[in-house]
Amino acid sequence: MTDTTRFYFFGTNGRPGHNLYSLTGREYSYDALKAEMGVNSIDGCYTNSYGAQGHGHCVHTPNGWTVLAVCDYSDDRRGGCKAAFMTPGLHTAEEMIAMATQYFPRKVQRIGPITLTPYTGDPAGRGY
């Protein structure tokens, strides 16, 4: 597992609009995290723009972070809505799902079953 102070959720929180949250539930700086992860974006970069609810990918970024990103229309029905869980270190998809379930159980429950396929996009977050 990971240092629990370094596990983040990017997504909706009961209404349309995406924000980045730490485990304390407080919003965290999106730009600071992108820089630390070595990516251009988190929003919409690691899943197909119009995939099925809960479908996504587990990706390792250039700076050694793991991102579990899935389509999530539960709070925002607009096309392309995503949720992502991020932590430093290289973790398996199973580990990421377990950590997401442990640290953000209501988010995972809301998203529903998570189904993953291999990621073929750019791990630096330059689009799917």
Side-chain angles (χ1 to χ4, degrees):
M1 292 291 166
T2 190
D3 173 359
T4 59
T5 63
R6 306 291 296 161
F7 196 86
Y8 301 94
F9 170 76
F10 176 79
T12 60
N13 194 24
R15 58 182 167 29
H18 294 69
N19 292 296
L20 180 65
Y21 299 93
S22 68
L23 287 176
T24 64
R26 302 179 109 183
E27 290 187 22
Y28 190 79
S29 170
Y30 180 74
D31 289 333
L33 188 62
K34 286 188 318 182
E36 187 174 349
M37 292 172 64
V39 300
N40 292 338
S41 184
I42 300 165
D43 190 8
C45 290
Y46 297 114
T47 62
N48 183 313
S49 293
Y50 297 95
Q53 175 75 18
H55 178 264
H57 309 284
C58 187
V59 181
H60 297 125
T61 71
N63 285 7
W65 283 63
T66 303
V67 179
L68 173 67
V70 297
C71 295
D72 178 21
Y73 310 108
S74 58
D75 286 334
D76 191 340
R77 300 271 182 219
R78 296 176 292 170
C81 294
K82 313 288 187 293
F85 302 92
M86 295 141 293
T87 193
L90 302 179
H91 303 277
T92 67
E94 293 78 16
E95 290 171 331
M96 288 300 290
I97 292 170
M99 286 186 275
T101 302
Q102 177 182 354
Y103 302 137
F104 289 100
R106 288 184 290 192
K107 305 291 187 201
V108 173
Q109 182 178 20
R110 184 191 76 206
I111 292 167
I114 294 175
T115 58
L116 302 175
T117 55
Y119 181 70
T120 59
D122 181 354
R126 290 185 283 258
Y128 184 83

